Amino acid sequence: PVSLQVLRNQRCYAPGQFNRLVELGLAQGADFLFILDDDVVFKRRGWMSAYHRTAMESGLHHLCHLNLPHYRQLCERRGETFPPPARRHDRFPLIGHVPVERCMGALMTLTPEVVRRVGWADEVNFFVRGLWHVDYSARCARAGFNRADALYD
């Protein structure tokens, strides 16, 4: 049988939606979560396994995807240099391009341990879009689940 869970938005906006999805995943016993926007397109097979394996082996449970083509457009609009410098992890297939302040929230990973140590997205201070994902990712980096100076993807 197929299980269906309906989540009502009730004007909780992006951080509230994130919290409800995480809460539902944890209630169902998930040990690894992918939170991604509905417009994310994957061009390669195996991306889920690659993220999961690398996050678990590295201990960096909060990986954040950086959409480089979109980031290029943002840099062009701002008159900033592209591409950003790439920092490769010395042991794992991870690349950090930007500091946490420039992260994108379209795809991120987390585990129950992240939620235990970092908590939930801040619905009070970032209730309507805003930079809730930057705040959450910065807290994850401070807890050791990624790096603040070059957020890994």
Side-chain angles (χ1 to χ4, degrees):
V2 174
S3 174
L4 177 66
Q5 177 74 38
V6 176
L7 299 176
R8 299 207 192 298
N9 182 332
Q10 298 177 355
R11 298 203 184 280
C12 62
Y13 302 104
Q17 292 168 11
F18 170 87
N19 288 340
R20 299 311 161 281
L21 290 170
V22 170
E23 185 176 48
L24 177 62
L26 295 178
Q28 294 187 2
D31 61 357
F32 194 82
L33 298 165
F34 290 95
I35 304 295
L36 57 134
D37 290 355
D38 61 350
D39 60 352
V40 173
V41 176
F42 300 97
K43 297 181 179 181
R44 293 187 187 159
R45 293 180 185 264
W47 68 269
M48 288 177 86
S49 298
Y51 267 96
H52 178 262
R53 182 180 57 256
T54 303
M56 299 314 290
E57 289 175 2
S58 69
L60 300 172
H61 296 178
H62 182 71
L63 300 177
C64 297
H65 176 66
L66 180 69
N67 180 336
L68 281 173
H70 179 62
Y71 194 73
R72 175 191 300 262
Q73 292 172 343
L74 294 174
C75 286
E76 287 171 0
R77 274 190 241 147
R78 297 181 200 144
E80 295 175 359
T81 304
F82 183 89
R87 287 196 176 173
R88 296 188 184 281
H89 195 282
D90 59 346
R91 290 188 49 219
F92 301 100
L94 296 166
I95 299 174
H97 289 284
V98 297
V100 71
E101 296 83 22
R102 293 290 179 102
C103 76
M104 295 179 177
L107 185 156
M108 57 177 71
T109 65
L110 60 148
T111 61
E113 181 65 14
V114 170
V115 178
R116 275 193 290 280
R117 290 187 37 210
V118 175
W120 303 92
D122 184 345
E123 293 181 63
V124 174
N125 294 302
F126 301 97
F127 63 96
V128 179
R129 294 186 186 150
L131 299 174
W132 74 271
H133 62 285
V134 173
D135 172 69
Y136 195 79
S137 294
R139 290 189 284 136
C140 288
R142 283 193 299 273
F145 293 113
N146 208 316
R147 285 181 49 174
D149 60 339
L151 201 64
Y152 283 128
D153 177 9

